[in-house]
Every structure is written in C-alpha cells, then in structure tokens.
C-alpha cells in the first residue's frame, strides 16, 4: 500500500471511530480543500457526524457558493452558525468595519465575535469535534496531533488530516471528483474571511495570504487558541 493509501485508510478509521465512540460529533468545515476531503469522506460513507460552518458575514462569494455545491453534490445542507448581531454592531460602531487591520488586538476581537463565540455555540453538547488542519500548513501547526483533549471546549478534538500533505489533499479531491472552492485555482491555498485573505505568489508559505500584515506567530483566528496562546495539548491515546 502506498503512503497515501495508508494515510487515507488511517483517516477513514479515525472517522469511523469518532462516529462510533464519540457521538454526537461535529465537523467544523471552512469549506476549503482539506475540509472538502473530510466532507466527502463523511457524507459519502453516511457517517454519523454532522457538519457545520461559521458564517462570519465576511466570507468570499466563492466560499458561500460551496454551500450550494455541497447540497447539489451530496443532498446535504451544511448548518451555519453566525455571530451575534448585537456584538457585530457594537464592534463596527465603536471601531469601524475593518478595524482588524489596526492591531492584533482588534483583529482578535473581530475573530472572537465572528468565529470564536459562534464556535462555542456550535460545539456545545457534543463529545468531539473535527477539523481539517494539517501540520504542514504553517509554523503554528507543526505539533498538531490527530487527537487532542480540548479542555477549552470540554470535548475531544480530532485533526484526521494532520499528517496529510497538500499533494495528498489534491490527489484525493481530483481522483474522487470532489467539488472545491474556485479560489484555490486563483492563488488562494488557504481561505478565510475575504478582507483577511489574499492570493499568494509561487513559493510563498501556504498561509502567507492570511492576515498578511501580521507576524507569522500570531496567525491563528482563536479557534485553536486559548488566552492568546496556541493550545498544544498532549496527544490523547
Ligand atoms: S478573519 Fe478577519 S474578518 Fe474574519 S473574523 Fe477574523 S478579523 Fe474578522
């Protein structure tokens, strides 16, 4: 079996284990390439894992278009969690619509309102959650484990693609005709909110287009961070 086939088999086994032993479990999809691999594996195999996205109110039209693509392809609607309208209004009226460019603090506050708080609601009542993070994606993810004890949210966190390469992801998507965000063909290997993501040049780090005005060490949205620090929890068995 090739290395890729071994990684794929291990990923399928991890998803099967989550569905069997950690119900109710949820997959947090950003609708990017890695997340479409997991979406395909979950929906094609009818696994007992529900899928949601954080609709921040600042996503690209192409990303929102993926919601329809998923529905057309699999007949499944992805559940959306949105920020509290009052919190967004207060931030915008006090600081401005794009205050996240002004400082890391303002950026983290925007992410807290639009992503971190809705994520807490999305995870409430579940035993496990799943992400499409990979170790090779950035300097902040090199120690990523496949399974972590997420003490912040009080549940298990799984990163089934932690050891996948970018080539693995595209090999899976292309060989299984999985739909993907068209921004990936326009120089966006990593996709977040529209004002905080830009295309990168060949040879640049895959996450260089995310919060490009910040130091690489601060580039996480808070979904995987506690008190301003990346959470690197000891790997569970
Ligand atoms: S990525 Fe940008 S627009 Fe999106 S929540 Fe964070 S700071 Fe706000």
């Amino acid at each position: 079996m090739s290395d890729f086939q071994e990684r794929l088999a291990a990923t399928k086994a991890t998803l099967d284990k989550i569905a069997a032993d950690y119900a109710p479990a949820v997959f947090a999809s950003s609708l990017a390439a890695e997340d479409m691999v997991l979406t395909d594996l979950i929906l094609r195999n009818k696994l007992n894992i529900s899928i949601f996205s954080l609709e921040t109110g600042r996503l690209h039209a192409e990303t929102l278009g993926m919601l329809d693509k998923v529905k057309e392809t699999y007949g499944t609607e992805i559940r959306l969690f949105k920020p509290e309208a009052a919190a967004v209004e207060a931030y915008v009226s006090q600081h401005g619509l794009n205050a996240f460019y002004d400082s890391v603090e303002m950026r983290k506050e925007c992410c807290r309102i639009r992503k971190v708080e809705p994520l807490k609601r999305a995870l409430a009542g579940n035993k496990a959650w799943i992400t499409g993070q990979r170790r090779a994606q950035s300097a902040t993810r090199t120690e990523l484990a496949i399974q972590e004890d997420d003490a912040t949210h009080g549940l298990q966190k799984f990163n089934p693609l932690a050891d996948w390469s970018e080539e693995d992801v595209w090999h899976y998507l292309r060989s299984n005709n999985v739909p993907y965000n068209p921004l990936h063909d326009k120089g966006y290997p990593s996709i977040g909110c529209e004002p905080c993501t830009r295309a990168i040049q060949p040879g640049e780090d895959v996450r260089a287009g995310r919060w490009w005005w910040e130091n690489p060490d601060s580039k996480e949205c808070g979904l995987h961070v506690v008190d301003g620090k990346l959470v690197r929890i000891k790997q569970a068995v």
Side-chain angles (χ1 to χ4, degrees):
M1 204 190 289
S2 72
D3 289 349
F4 170 73
Q5 290 300 333
E6 283 176 15
R7 284 191 286 280
L8 177 58
T11 296
K12 286 178 173 171
T14 298
L15 292 172
D16 286 344
K17 179 177 89 166
I18 296 166
D21 300 344
Y22 293 91
V26 281
F27 166 41
S29 170
S30 69
L31 304 161
E34 287 79 4
D35 296 337
M36 290 310 301
V37 170
L38 291 172
T39 297
D40 189 74
L41 286 169
I42 290 168
L43 296 181
R44 194 190 287 259
N45 295 301
K46 300 188 181 353
L47 296 180
N48 182 27
I49 297 169
S50 51
I51 307 177
F52 73 87
S53 282
L54 302 177
E55 210 293 61
T56 65
R58 302 300 302 265
L59 299 178
H60 296 83
E62 289 90 339
T63 303
L64 292 170
M66 290 305 297
L67 296 167
D68 290 337
K69 278 274 177 208
V70 168
K71 194 173 175 190
E72 278 165 34
T73 307
Y74 305 99
T76 298
E77 215 156 325
I78 290 182
R79 187 172 178 196
L80 298 180
F81 284 83
K82 300 183 180 183
E84 298 287 358
V88 172
E89 280 170 27
Y91 179 95
V92 171
S93 70
Q94 281 173 35
H95 308 296
L97 183 63
N98 294 332
F100 39 79
Y101 292 131
D102 296 345
S103 67
V104 172
E105 288 68 34
M106 278 292 101
R107 198 270 291 166
K108 286 186 173 170
E109 178 61 3
C110 184
C111 284
R112 187 191 67 75
I113 292 167
R114 294 183 184 272
K115 294 181 172 179
V116 177
E117 188 281 325
L119 177 72
K120 278 190 186 148
R121 270 186 278 130
L123 298 185
N126 289 285
K127 280 191 186 166
W129 70 299
I130 301 167
T131 85
Q133 292 184 103
R134 291 186 296 108
R135 282 180 207 127
Q137 278 170 324
S138 75
T140 58
R141 295 183 179 177
T142 54
E143 296 171 35
L144 190 70
I146 292 197
Q147 181 175 357
E148 300 171 330
D149 181 15
D150 182 349
T152 306
H153 298 106
L155 71 179
Q156 290 294 295
K157 179 178 176 185
F158 289 87
N159 309 297
L161 303 184
D163 57 359
W164 282 43
S165 66
E166 189 179 352
E167 291 72 30
D168 289 341
V169 170
W170 287 99
H171 175 64
Y172 182 91
L173 293 178
R174 295 207 164 101
S175 48
N176 291 285
N177 286 322
V178 179
Y180 62 86
N181 192 324
L183 288 174
H184 289 305
D185 290 334
K186 297 178 182 168
Y188 290 79
S190 176
I191 303 168
C193 292
E194 188 273 334
C196 298
T197 311
R198 69 174 182 182
I200 65 168
Q201 298 301 314
E204 276 192 289
D205 183 86
V206 292
R207 280 176 68 85
R210 301 292 296 278
W211 306 299
W212 62 90
W213 63 93
E214 291 185 4
N215 182 304
D217 291 339
S218 67
K219 288 187 181 188
E220 289 289 347
C221 53
L223 302 185
H224 314 293
V225 172
V226 177
D227 295 335
K229 292 184 179 163
L230 276 173
V231 179
R232 287 288 167 257
I233 305 156
K234 197 174 167 202
Q235 182 166 5
V237 188

